[in-house]
Amino acid sequence: MGLTQARSRFFAIRKKCQVLVKNHAFKDYPQRGFSIVELVYLVRTGMGRFTDNNSDVAIKDSYLFYPKDDENRECKLVLKIEELEIHGQEGSKKETVIVCSAYREIKYDA
């Protein structure tokens, strides 16, 4: 899926889709201070750029979303958009945004 199509799809589905947050996005770097609730909130309501993930170590078919948090800090979320099968409902699929990784710069007062 191209960037234009992915961007349109993301902004069209994000309020009603399933949001799956991978442990890496909030557990592996606790100093970044993300919670699952905050990451879901940023996906559903955040505003910011949505771009291709062109990094050499990028997760295949992932995108970058740059919303701002409540303290007006830019966050960088690595997202995938997929259709996942819903457990218990044979043949039923739901569009899902997967938050693979999350980053924000934290400045510590000295």
Side-chain angles (χ1 to χ4, degrees):
M1 165 178 10
L3 177 60
T4 302
Q5 183 182 6
R7 182 184 296 119
S8 296
R9 186 171 171 202
F10 171 72
F11 284 106
I13 69 169
R14 70 186 185 143
K15 291 190 190 290
K16 62 182 187 265
C17 73
Q18 175 178 332
V19 177
L20 175 66
V21 178
K22 297 285 191 173
N23 283 342
H24 177 71
F26 69 99
K27 278 190 175 177
D28 290 351
Y29 298 96
Q31 67 272 24
R32 295 179 186 166
F34 286 109
S35 69
I36 293 173
V37 172
E38 181 183 18
L39 291 169
V40 170
Y41 177 79
L42 288 171
V43 167
R44 293 205 188 282
T45 64
M47 296 304 295
R49 295 176 292 136
F50 186 94
T51 66
D52 278 322
N53 190 353
N54 294 325
S55 167
D56 291 339
V57 294
I59 296 169
K60 186 176 187 223
D61 299 325
S62 67
Y63 301 93
L64 298 174
F65 179 47
Y66 296 90
K68 293 206 174 189
D69 66 12
D70 289 341
E71 295 182 27
N72 207 32
R73 297 175 292 194
E74 185 175 75
C75 302
K76 178 168 71 172
L77 307 182
V78 177
L79 306 176
K80 290 189 75 168
I81 303 171
E82 296 184 354
E83 283 191 1
L84 298 179
E85 197 165 315
I86 299 170
H87 296 289
Q89 296 181 18
E90 191 173 320
S92 182
K93 295 188 182 238
K94 181 161 179 95
E95 289 187 299
T96 303
V97 172
I98 302 170
V99 181
C100 302
S101 184
Y103 173 81
R104 69 175 152 208
E105 189 171 330
I106 303 295
K107 295 184 178 162
Y108 298 99
D109 293 331

